[in-house]
Amino acid sequence: MQHDARGLVVTIRNDSALEPFERAIRAFQTYRGDPLAALDEALSRDPDFAAAAATKALVLMTLFERRFADDALAVLDRHAAALARATPREQALGAAAALMARGQWQAGARELEAILVEHPRDAVALQVAHLIDFVRGDALNLRNRLSRVLPHWSREVPGYAYVLGMHAFGLEECNQYPQAEDAGRSALEISRDDCWAVHAVAHVMEMQGRVDEGMAWLEDRRADWATPDNGFAYHNAWHLALFHLDRDDHAAALAIHDEVLAGATELALTRVDGTALLWRLRLQGAEVGDRFVPIADAWESALDREGGFYAFNDFHAALAFAAAGRQAPLERLRDRLREAALSAGDNGPMTREVGLEACEAAVDFAAGRFGEAARRLASVRDGASRFGGSHAQRDLLTLMLVEAATRAGERRLAAHYVAERLIHKPASALGHRLLARAQPSERKAA
Ligand SMILES: [Fe+2]
C-alpha cells in the first residue's frame, strides 16, 4: 500500500509516479508551474493512478471555463476503469470533478466535504472546495471549511502554510481582518511563496483602506509572487493597481495593466482582472484609449463557447463589450444569459438573481443611461455575493453605482452609498474624492 506526502492511501502500480504527483500538488498550492503537465507525467508513468486522474479533472475545473469542463470529463472517461478500482476517497474525487463539470458546483463541494470528514488532510479536496466557495461567493465556507480541518494540520504536515493561507482569505471575506492578517503572516513565516496568503493580507489592507501599507506589502514581496511562472501574479498585480487607484495614480495603474494584464487574455480569470481594472480607471475619469479593443476581442472569441457558463465572467464580458461599443456580441451574450438563467446548474440562479441585471446595468452605463444603471445596480448589489468573487472585486458594482448616480444628478443616492464605503474604509482617499463629487448641494440637502 502506498501513501502520499500527507499520509493518504493512493492506488498506484508504479511508485515513480508519486514524485510528479506531489510536484503537481505543490504547483497547485503555490500557483507556480504547471500542475497539469506534472499530472500528465504521473499518468504517463502509471496510467492507472486514479488520484492523479481525478486531480487532473479537478484542477481543470478550478479554471471555471466550459472548455475545461469538457477536458475534465474526457480525463475521467479515459481513466474510468482505474477510478472504479480505486479507494472510496479517490472515487469521490472523481465524482466531485464530474459534478463540477456538469455545472453542479455546490454538489461537487458537498462531495469534497464528505472526503474531508474522513480525510481532513486531503489537500486537493480542500483547495478545490475553497475555490468553489470563492466562485459561489460563499464567505462562511471560505472560512469554516478550513476551520473544520485545521485541527488535523500542523507544521509537520507538508503544505500546512497553504491551509493557513486559505484560512486567512476566508477570515478576510468574513470581515475578521486582524485574525486574517495573523493567519496570512503565519502562513508566510512558514512558506514565503504562499501567494494566496500574500493575497489574503493584501485583501485585508484593501478592505481597511491601508493603501500605503498595501503597496509596500506587495512591492516588498514582489520576488515571492511576481515570478513569471506564477499564475496568480496577475491577480496580485491587480490588487497593487487598486492601491494606485486609491491614490488617483492613473499612470501607475495603467502601467500595471499594460505590463501585466494586457497580455493575459487567454484565461477568463485574468480577463476578469484586466476588464475590471480598465473599468475602474474609466470610472475615475482616466483616458484608457483603445485598451478595451483587445480584451473585448478576447471575450468575443470565447463567447460562443463560454457565454452562459459562469455569470461573474459574463458580467465582465458585458463590461468589455459595452465599453468597446460591441452591440452584436452583447446581443449574443444576452441570449446566452437568458438560456443560462433557466439552466439547472448553480449558474442558473447566479445569472437569474444577479448576472442578467448586472450585465444590463453595464450596457445602460456605457450608453449614458445613468439613472437606469444606478437603479439596476442598487437592485443587485446587496445580493451580488451570490455570483461569486471577493468583496474587493464586487466593490466595482458599488463604484459603478456611485458614479452612475452622480452622473445622473442623483447625488443623494451617490452619497448614500459612499457613506457606507467610507465607514468601512475611512482612510480611503478614493472614498473622500467620491464623497466630494457626490455631496448633496445645500439646496438638495435641505
Ligand atoms: Fe483578490
Side-chain angles (χ1 to χ4, degrees):
M1 190 178 290
Q2 188 56 270
H3 296 80
D4 72 10
R6 289 149 303 283
L8 305 178
V9 173
V10 286
T11 307
I12 190 167
R13 290 170 188 265
N14 179 354
D15 288 354
S16 76
L18 259 182
E19 184 277 323
F21 177 70
E22 290 298 338
R23 201 177 343 120
I25 289 179
R26 177 94 178 160
F28 187 43
Q29 290 171 323
T30 58
Y31 296 85
R32 271 185 178 74
D34 185 352
L36 295 171
L39 288 164
D40 283 340
E41 195 180 329
L43 287 166
S44 73
R45 293 186 189 186
D46 184 351
D48 291 332
F49 192 169
T55 298
K56 183 177 177 186
L58 286 166
V59 170
L60 282 164
M61 287 317 307
T62 61
L63 294 165
F64 290 94
E65 292 189 42
R66 183 175 273 128
R67 58 178 163 155
F68 298 122
D70 296 340
D71 293 345
L73 288 172
V75 170
L76 295 173
D77 190 51
R78 201 175 313 131
H79 298 279
L83 279 161
R85 291 191 298 268
T87 64
R89 180 186 70 87
E90 292 163 320
Q91 290 186 15
L93 287 172
L99 284 164
M100 290 176 72
R102 296 190 173 95
Q104 303 288 334
W105 302 339
Q106 193 170 4
R110 280 199 296 270
E111 187 82 30
L112 295 169
E113 185 68 17
I115 294 173
L116 294 171
V117 173
E118 300 298 325
H119 308 281
R121 291 184 185 174
D122 189 322
V124 172
L126 185 59
Q127 188 172 335
V128 173
H130 188 64
L131 294 171
I132 294 174
D133 295 334
F134 177 69
V135 298
R136 292 185 57 252
D138 185 349
L140 281 179
N141 270 316
L142 277 170
R143 179 191 65 186
N144 295 352
R145 204 182 294 282
L146 276 298
S147 307
R148 292 191 285 270
V149 302
L150 264 173
H152 302 276
W153 287 79
S154 65
R155 279 176 177 263
E156 287 68 47
V157 183
Y160 176 52
Y162 310 110
V163 176
L164 287 179
M166 288 188 278
H167 197 222
F169 183 63
L171 287 161
E172 181 278 327
E173 288 296 297
C174 287
N175 314 112
Q176 290 177 253
Y177 301 130
Q179 296 95 324
E181 188 165 342
D182 285 349
R185 288 181 184 273
S186 297
L188 290 161
E189 277 171 22
I190 302 168
S191 296
R192 282 191 66 91
D193 67 353
D194 187 349
C195 58
W196 194 255
V198 169
H199 170 243
V201 176
H203 262 270
V204 169
M205 293 171 176
E206 169 66 27
M207 297 311 293
Q208 294 184 320
R210 293 157 59 189
V211 174
D212 294 346
E213 274 183 274
M215 290 185 69
W217 173 258
L218 287 171
E219 291 288 2
D220 292 350
R221 291 176 175 271
R222 245 180 203 284
D224 299 328
W225 61 266
T227 53
D229 64 341
N230 189 331
F232 204 68
Y234 305 98
H235 186 68
N236 275 329
W238 176 83
H239 275 279
L240 183 56
L242 294 199
F243 292 125
H244 286 299
L245 283 178
D246 200 280
R247 285 182 173 179
D248 216 19
D249 189 344
H250 300 169
L254 275 171
I256 288 174
H257 172 270
D258 294 350
E259 288 163 21
V260 183
L261 294 168
T265 57
E266 168 62 18
L267 292 175
L269 281 169
T270 45
R271 284 202 299 276
V272 161
D273 287 336
T275 305
L277 178 55
L278 287 180
W279 255 84
R280 285 174 186 247
L281 278 154
R282 186 186 145 123
L283 290 172
Q284 289 186 214
E287 180 53 61
V288 301
D290 58 2
R291 288 179 175 85
F292 273 111
V293 172
I295 201 151
D297 286 345
W299 284 114
E300 190 171 346
S301 66
L303 175 59
D304 287 338
R305 186 188 65 226
E306 302 295 338
F309 184 72
Y310 177 32
F312 193 72
N313 290 347
D314 290 334
F315 169 57
H316 287 81
L319 287 171
F321 295 152
R326 304 278 176 95
Q327 289 309 315
L330 267 176
E331 283 306 318
R332 273 159 54 210
L333 178 60
R334 272 201 185 96
D335 291 343
R336 303 305 294 268
L337 287 166
R338 289 188 192 114
E339 287 168 24
L342 302 173
S343 66
D346 287 305
N347 187 50
M350 286 181 182
T351 303
R352 217 162 40 237
E353 295 167 16
V354 185
L356 260 170
E357 198 69 355
C359 288
E360 293 299 341
V363 174
D364 283 335
F365 192 111
R369 297 186 293 271
F370 297 118
E372 189 60 25
R375 269 182 290 285
R376 289 186 191 276
L377 288 161
S379 75
V380 296
R381 192 196 76 117
D382 293 348
S385 65
R386 271 172 267 167
F387 87 158
S390 63
H391 294 300
Q393 285 175 305
R394 291 190 303 271
D395 189 32
L396 177 58
L397 295 171
T398 302
L399 295 172
M400 285 177 70
L401 168 52
V402 168
E403 187 61 25
T406 302
R407 293 192 195 182
E410 299 183 32
R411 294 176 177 275
R412 294 185 75 94
L413 180 64
H416 188 67
Y417 286 100
V418 176
E420 175 199 285
R421 202 174 184 282
L422 271 174
I423 287 286
H424 296 278
K425 299 171 79 168
S428 164
L430 172 58
H432 290 283
R433 290 196 304 275
L434 291 172
L435 185 64
R437 291 191 65 216
Q439 198 72 264
S441 67
E442 289 294 323
R443 186 176 54 77
K444 283 188 175 176

